[in-house]
Amino acid sequence: MVKGMARNTTGVGPRTPQVVVLFGAAGDLSRRKLLPGLFHLVASGFIPACRIIGVSLDALDADGFRALASAAVAEHGMRKFTDEEWSSFSSGLDYVPLGAGPAALRAAVERAEQSLGAGCRRLHYLSVPPSAALSAVKMLADADLVAGSRIIMEKPFGTDLASAVALNRALHEVFAEEQIFRIDHFLGKEAAQNILAFRFANGLFEPIWNRNFIDHVQIDVPETLGLGKRSGFYEQTGAYRDMVVTHLFQILGFVAMEAPTHLAPKPISEEKNKVFRSMLPIQPSNVVRGQYTGYRTEEGVSAESDTETFIALRCDIDNWRWAGVPFYLRTGKRLAEGQRIISIAFREPPKSMFPADSGVGAHGPDHLTFDLADSSKMSLSFYGKRPGPGMKLDKLSLQFAMNDTGLSGEVLEAYERLILDAMRGDHTLFTTAEGIERLWEISVPLIESPPPVRTYAPGTWGPNAIHQLIAPHAWRLPFERAWREQNPGG
C-alpha cells in the first residue's frame, strides 16, 4: 500500500484482474501520467492484479521498458513507495516493439492472461497521435484482441464533422460503441464531478439553476505555458479544436444538463447529449480568435499562420432551462494566469434601495465559482455590510477547499480515476460518438468562416476584442475576490 493513501478501495476499482495494452508506452503522456498512475492504482489495491504490455516504436525489450517506467514513476509519481511495491509492479511489465507485429502482441497478451488466470479483462490504451490511432486499432484486430476488451481513445476525436464521422465509422467496424472510452481528463478531476453533487444533492441550488436566476456562465481555462515541442501539432489544430470541442464543451454539458433519471452512465450521457443537441451553431460573429506575438517564429509554424492560440466565444443553449442565458468560453496559450474556472453569475436584484455611494453594483453580480484545478475549491460571493456606521457594502465570499475536509489525500489524479472507470465499464465521464459528432456539427459555421486572428502580447488576457464580446458583462478573471489560502495551522 502506498503511504498516505486511503485503504478503502471497495467499489472504486474493477473486481477482475486487468491486462493493459499501452500503445505509445514510451511517449510523454505515458511517462508523465499513465505509468505513474497505473503504478499508484496497483500499489494502492484499486486493481486486484494487473499486467501491462507496452507498445511503441522504440526498440526496447521488457527490461528496457521497466527501466523507463521506473524513471517515470520516480520523476512524476506523487506518492512515496517501497522497493517491495516497485518490484511487485515491475514484474508485471512486458514490452512489444510495434515492428514485431500482431502475432508478437498476441503472444504477450496470452502470457499475461495465463499468469493472471481465468476471468481477467483487457484494456487497450491508445496514447498515440490521431494519425496513428487507426493503425493501432487495426493491429489489435489483426492480433484478435478485440472481443471482450475495452479501448481508451485520446483526443482529438476528429478535426471537423466529416473526419469525426469517418473516425467513428472506422472504429465501429472493429469495436462496438460500448467498448470505446473517449477520454477527457478534465472530467476526471474531483471538482468537475463535484458539479453533479453540488447541483443535484442540494435543495438550496438546484431550484435556482436556470434562466430565471442565472444571468450568464463563464468557463475560463487560460494557460501561461506556450507550445514547446507541440508547435507542429498545434499548427494543424488550434485552440478551438484542441481545447473547446474536447474539454470546455464537455464541462458545459455537466453544468447545463438536466437531472438524470438515476446516477448511472447511460442516463448521464443521455442528458449531456440533450444539451449538445440544444446548442445553437457557433456563429463567427460571437467568436474572438487570437495569436500571441512570436508564435509565427516558432519551429514548425508557418510565417503566415492563421492558427489561433487563443479563443473566446459565446454559446447559446436553446431549451427551456437556458434560453437567453449566454455561456462564455475562453482559453489560450501564454496568457496572464493559469486557471480552470467555472463561474455562475446570478441575476442582480431588479431595483436597489441602497444609496448611490453604498458600493452595491460596484463589483458586479454575485458569483458561484468552481476551481477545477487539482486543489479543488468553490466560492460564493455576495454583498455584505461593512462594519461601522452608515450603509457601506463590500463584496464578501464563502469559500470551500478540498483541504478543509481532511480527505485531500484520497483524491485520485484525473487519469487514474478515468482508467478505473474504463476498467469497470463506466461511461459516465466519457463522451459518446453522438455527442462528439453533434459538437462538430454546431462548429461548422465557425470552421468554414473563422474570423481573423488578432495578435496579443504574451502575459495578457488575449485580444482587446474579448471585452466587446462579453459586454455588458465582464470577464471573471482576474478575480474580484482572491481565494483564501489554506492555513497550515488549521
Side-chain angles (χ1 to χ4, degrees):
M1 181 74 64
V2 176
K3 295 179 181 178
M5 187 59 219
R7 294 177 179 271
N8 183 13
T9 61
T10 304
V12 177
R15 297 182 179 181
T16 57
Q18 302 286 317
V19 174
V20 178
V21 178
L22 178 56
F23 283 84
D28 182 64
L29 178 62
S30 175
R31 289 183 288 105
R32 286 188 301 106
K33 296 291 185 181
L34 304 183
L35 288 171
L38 285 165
F39 168 71
H40 173 232
L41 294 176
V42 172
S44 300
F46 287 101
I47 306 173
C50 186
R51 297 289 184 271
I52 300 168
I53 302 165
V55 182
S56 78
L57 290 169
D58 294 48
L60 299 173
D61 57 13
D63 287 338
F65 182 48
R66 293 187 185 104
L68 181 151
S70 176
V73 172
E75 181 179 359
H76 300 290
M78 302 298 292
R79 299 168 177 88
K80 296 180 179 179
F81 57 91
T82 66
D83 291 341
E84 181 182 356
E85 288 164 347
W86 174 252
S87 177
S88 175
F89 177 77
S90 64
S91 65
L93 299 180
D94 200 355
Y95 186 82
V96 176
L98 197 63
L105 179 58
R106 173 74 187 184
V109 171
E110 288 179 344
R111 289 194 302 271
E113 290 179 340
Q114 289 170 3
S115 69
L116 292 173
C120 60
R121 293 292 301 258
R122 301 173 193 149
L123 177 70
H124 309 306
Y125 198 121
L126 271 55
S127 177
V128 297
S131 57
L134 291 181
S135 62
V137 169
K138 183 178 186 304
M139 185 173 183
L140 291 171
D142 292 343
D144 195 21
L145 296 175
V146 173
S149 67
R150 297 173 176 129
I151 183 169
I152 297 179
M153 306 286 297
E154 280 283 345
K155 71 175 182 76
F157 312 116
T159 56
D160 55 21
L161 179 58
S163 61
V165 170
L167 175 61
N168 286 329
R169 184 184 300 117
L171 286 174
H172 290 156
E173 289 176 357
V174 180
F175 289 93
E177 177 64 18
E178 58 267 22
Q179 293 178 276
I180 303 170
F181 294 77
R182 299 169 184 82
I183 196 167
D184 174 8
H185 71 274
F186 270 48
L187 296 187
K189 292 181 176 296
E190 194 75 23
Q193 299 164 56
N194 208 19
I195 295 170
L196 295 180
F198 194 90
R199 282 193 59 190
F200 300 124
N202 294 295
L204 177 62
F205 289 101
E206 178 53 26
I208 63 172
W209 209 265
N210 57 59
R211 60 187 176 85
N212 295 323
F213 299 94
I214 292 177
D215 185 78
H216 65 279
V217 178
Q218 295 180 34
I219 302 175
D220 216 339
V221 187
E223 298 180 281
T224 58
L225 297 176
L227 297 171
K229 298 180 180 179
R230 298 181 69 228
S231 299
F233 161 78
Y234 206 84
E235 177 69 357
Q236 306 301 318
T237 307
Y240 184 78
R241 290 177 169 91
D242 185 48
M243 289 292 292
V244 176
V245 177
T246 51
H247 292 321
L248 274 62
F249 279 162
Q250 300 302 323
I251 293 293
L252 182 151
F254 264 26
V255 173
M257 64 186 277
E258 299 292 329
T261 53
H262 57 288
L263 197 65
K266 190 172 182 179
I268 290 176
S269 292
E270 176 57 24
E271 294 304 333
K272 280 180 59 184
N273 285 342
K274 284 181 183 178
V275 172
F276 300 152
R277 290 197 292 268
S278 299
M279 289 175 67
L280 297 176
I282 307 300
Q283 299 302 318
S285 58
N286 288 333
V287 177
V288 175
R289 297 169 69 234
Q291 185 184 96
Y292 64 77
T293 305
Y295 171 75
R296 294 180 181 180
T297 65
E298 297 193 11
E299 183 179 354
V301 176
S302 167
E304 299 178 353
S305 174
D306 189 49
T307 299
E308 78 278 358
T309 61
F310 170 96
I311 192 161
L313 63 149
R314 169 179 171 155
C315 303
D316 292 277
I317 302 174
D318 190 24
N319 63 19
W320 278 53
R321 182 181 289 266
W322 297 112
V325 178
F327 284 70
Y328 297 103
L329 281 56
R330 177 172 64 167
T331 186
K333 304 291 185 182
R334 302 288 299 274
L335 296 177
E337 293 180 21
Q339 298 280 359
R340 295 172 179 177
I341 297 297
I342 303 169
S343 186
I344 314 295
F346 293 100
R347 294 192 182 278
E348 298 186 74
K351 187 174 178 61
S352 176
M353 66 182 185
F354 296 95
D357 62 349
S358 66
V360 171
H363 301 287
D366 299 336
H367 285 85
L368 174 64
T369 305
F370 296 87
D371 186 344
L372 300 186
D374 293 333
S375 54
S376 187
K377 292 176 282 192
M378 290 185 290
S379 173
L380 178 63
S381 71
F382 57 92
Y383 282 103
K385 183 184 177 298
R386 184 185 304 173
M391 184 57 73
K392 296 288 187 180
L393 280 73
D394 292 322
K395 203 71 166 180
L396 308 174
S397 65
L398 297 173
Q399 298 186 358
F400 162 79
M402 187 62 65
N403 288 336
D404 295 337
T405 67
L407 300 175
S408 58
E410 297 190 16
V411 175
L412 290 176
E413 201 277 333
Y415 280 98
E416 296 173 357
R417 170 61 187 263
L418 293 170
I419 288 171
L420 285 182
D421 284 355
M423 287 179 172
R424 294 189 299 113
D426 186 339
H427 280 86
T428 300
L429 302 177
F430 299 85
T431 192
T432 64
E434 176 190 343
I436 284 294
E437 291 178 14
R438 172 57 184 166
L439 292 176
W440 284 120
E441 183 180 6
I442 66 170
S443 303
V444 169
L446 174 60
I447 290 174
E448 290 185 347
S449 302
V453 293
R454 304 166 184 257
T455 59
Y456 63 96
T460 66
W461 287 106
N464 289 332
I466 62 173
H467 303 297
Q468 286 75 47
L469 173 69
I470 201 171
H473 315 298
W475 290 102
R476 178 72 166 137
L477 290 175
F479 283 118
E480 65 201 27
R481 297 284 304 171
W483 286 110
R484 170 174 53 84
E485 293 298 325
Q486 179 72 9
N487 182 2

